[in-house]
Amino acid sequence: MSRKRRNRIKWAAIATILLSGAVLLFAIIAEPRIYRTVREEQGTAHSIRAVMADLRYERRIKLIREELDGLKENKQYTALFLSMYSVRSWDPYWLSYWRGLETFKTEMVMENGRELAGTVAYLQELGTIPDILLLGLDPECLEPEYPLEDSLLRLIRETPETEYEILLADPSISYWRTKAEEEWGEILDRYERTAKLLTQEENVKLFFACDREWLVCNNGNFEEDKALTEEVATTLLAYYTRGEYDLTEENLEQRMGDARKLIADWRAEDRMLDGAIDRRSDRTLVFIGDSTFGNFSGSLAITGVVEAFTGARVLNCGYGGMAAAYGDSELASMGELLKVIERGDGGATAFLPDGSPAVSTAAGLRQAVGQGENTVFFLVFGINDYINAIPLSREDPYAVDSYMGAMRVGIESLQSMFPRGKIVLQTPNFIRYNDFGSIPVGEAENVFEDYVDAVGELAEEYGLTLLDFYRELGIDRDNYRERLQDEIHPNETSRFDMAMRILELLR
């Protein structure tokens, strides 16, 4: 026998021994589980893939149980938060502050419905299921081989004394746009099937926001496709705490239909995600006004949405409580801000504190934009002028202690400092305050709508572009509760709509 043949035989024998050892090792590890599974499934043969899935489940559920074992000794928690998607940005502090719930939030993300159900089952074994169990549920990850009826839903019915507050996953529009046409519809079908089952249970409350354009269609709200930023998670938690966005048997069909339409619309190529807006990094957008701009920041602000969609440099000089008129010794005014812009000095003024974002931005404005090349200024004033009984006008058309006089001075000052810039005037938004602004304040004889109309007159007088947020945003006496966060300020829905109107103008 040749040496070459002997070597082949030797290596073949070694390979056989190694393979036999691997099979034996696998059998030692997996055989009990295979036997148990086969017995439970009445003789159904499991594939190697199924066995490996079982083994992975056993390993992961062990880690989850280790994280939950601390609950056996710690009695301070009144709620538990488990999730199938990342909730690292959801701060349990707010559940304590708003609802008095001391909440334990698990760090591990459940990969599928089986792990979520297994975790709840383990809590049953421990006898530590709290009064309220918050579940982040992702219907896309529910496996067909473990139907909801036979897993989580069965456990929910076995513990009727526990309240299950279930927060469905709300993926970003970028996520929905990666799915094939038939795929994203099937995912929403899973949402609907899951919701129909869960909304029938008396001890289940379902929370859903995937039909909210302000949330889903602003990619700046997300760290990942299904993981919100901390600011947005806190905002959504506030809606959840107030009992808004609840999904019920009564509204399920309507809201699921709204979600389908929203996603279909934004998947279309003509929406403002794929270059429909001219993304010019050399363009600067300057926002000057009251709390409409000044009270909000990040992705939930008008300025944040516009910046994300345009790629432009956005400078926010908005300041809450600021009026157009000045001369009132107790009122922050546009005139003070204009002085800061003119002198380029961020030192404190009477009612614009040194170091505030509005003052700091205003102080560097002339250096930032020069004469205003490729710069658009957006101005919104009027709410605080109305609230503080500032006269609409005086005999002197440039009287700065009147609304229209101060606006004229402001417009002409900006035109003088930035001769190559463009100015857009915005009307203040619809308000609930003072019987929808129908009652004159103080000795002034003007109602709120007079200040709104004045903006249109000024736009015509100076040949400026007008954005009529009062009439064209769709807020009215019937729906203001869904569009205002209080009696004056636009909520997330309305601010997103305002930003979309600005984007349409820029386009």
Side-chain angles (χ1 to χ4, degrees), residues 196-464:
K196 283 181 178 178
L197 289 171
L198 291 171
T199 52
Q200 296 176 25
E201 303 303 314
E202 292 186 1
N203 59 331
V204 170
K205 180 179 178 182
L206 209 55
F207 182 78
F208 176 72
C210 208
D211 57 342
R212 304 299 161 163
E213 189 175 33
W214 71 264
L215 174 69
V216 174
C217 299
N218 181 0
N219 290 326
N221 292 336
F222 296 83
E223 293 179 350
E224 300 169 8
D225 285 341
K226 296 181 182 179
L228 300 170
T229 65
E230 184 174 353
E231 180 182 21
V232 177
T234 301
T235 300
L236 205 60
L237 195 58
Y239 276 104
Y240 156 70
T241 300
R242 294 195 298 264
E244 300 182 45
Y245 297 178
D246 286 356
L247 195 61
T248 65
E249 285 188 271
E250 292 73 25
N251 67 23
L252 189 151
E253 183 176 352
Q254 175 66 47
R255 294 193 60 198
M256 283 296 173
D258 290 344
R260 291 178 189 277
K261 183 178 185 305
L262 177 69
I263 294 168
D265 286 349
W266 277 81
R267 280 172 53 86
E269 292 301 320
D270 61 346
R271 290 311 299 251
M272 304 173 193
L273 290 175
D274 294 329
I277 288 291
D278 180 17
R279 294 181 63 84
R280 288 173 45 191
S281 59
D282 65 327
R283 180 164 52 191
T284 301
L285 309 176
V286 181
F287 293 82
I288 299 175
D290 51 31
S291 55
T292 307
F293 299 144
N295 277 21
F296 309 100
S297 61
S299 65
L300 296 178
I302 297 170
T303 51
V305 176
V306 171
E307 182 175 27
F309 279 89
T310 62
R313 176 174 55 171
V314 171
L315 303 175
N316 188 354
C317 298
Y319 186 81
M322 188 158 62
Y326 43 105
D328 188 315
S329 60
E330 298 182 358
L331 190 62
S333 67
M334 177 171 57
E336 287 185 275
L337 192 71
L338 291 172
K339 290 177 183 178
V340 171
I341 294 173
E342 185 174 12
R343 69 176 185 242
D345 178 8
T349 64
F351 291 98
L352 290 173
D354 182 17
S356 67
V359 171
S360 300
T361 304
L365 195 56
R366 298 187 75 171
Q367 183 176 359
V369 304
Q371 293 191 328
E373 296 89 347
N374 298 321
T375 302
V376 183
F377 296 85
F378 295 87
L379 270 66
V380 59
F381 290 99
I383 291 178
N384 294 306
D385 295 87
Y386 166 69
I387 290 174
N388 289 280
I390 301 295
L392 188 68
S393 61
R394 295 194 184 278
E395 186 175 346
D396 177 3
Y398 291 94
V400 295
D401 62 344
S402 71
Y403 176 67
M404 294 189 73
M407 288 292 289
R408 288 190 180 97
V409 170
I411 291 167
E412 294 184 16
S413 294
L414 288 172
Q415 289 176 331
S416 175
M417 287 187 284
F418 308 102
R420 298 185 182 180
K422 296 181 179 180
I423 297 175
V424 176
L425 297 185
Q426 300 176 191
T427 66
N429 58 266
F430 185 92
I431 62 173
R432 169 65 183 85
Y433 173 82
N434 215 9
D435 193 20
F436 303 99
S438 64
I439 303 173
V441 180
E443 297 180 0
E445 298 179 355
N446 301 104
V447 296
F448 181 61
E449 202 164 316
D450 294 333
Y451 295 82
V452 174
D453 293 338
V455 181
E457 294 175 22
L458 289 165
E460 185 175 355
E461 180 180 334
Y462 285 93
L464 304 177

Side-chain angles (χ1 to χ4, degrees), residues 81-85 116 134-138 165-168:
F81 198 170
L82 312 171
S83 183
M84 295 174 66
Y85 54 87
L116 188 64
L134 287 74
L135 301 179
L137 185 62
D138 187 351
E165 301 186 358
I166 299 178
L167 293 77
L168 296 180

Side-chain angles (χ1 to χ4, degrees), residues 132-148:
I132 296 179
L133 193 55
L134 287 74
L135 301 179
L137 185 62
D138 187 351
E140 183 183 3
C141 298
L142 296 175
E143 321 91 315
E145 58 267 32
Y146 297 102
L148 195 69

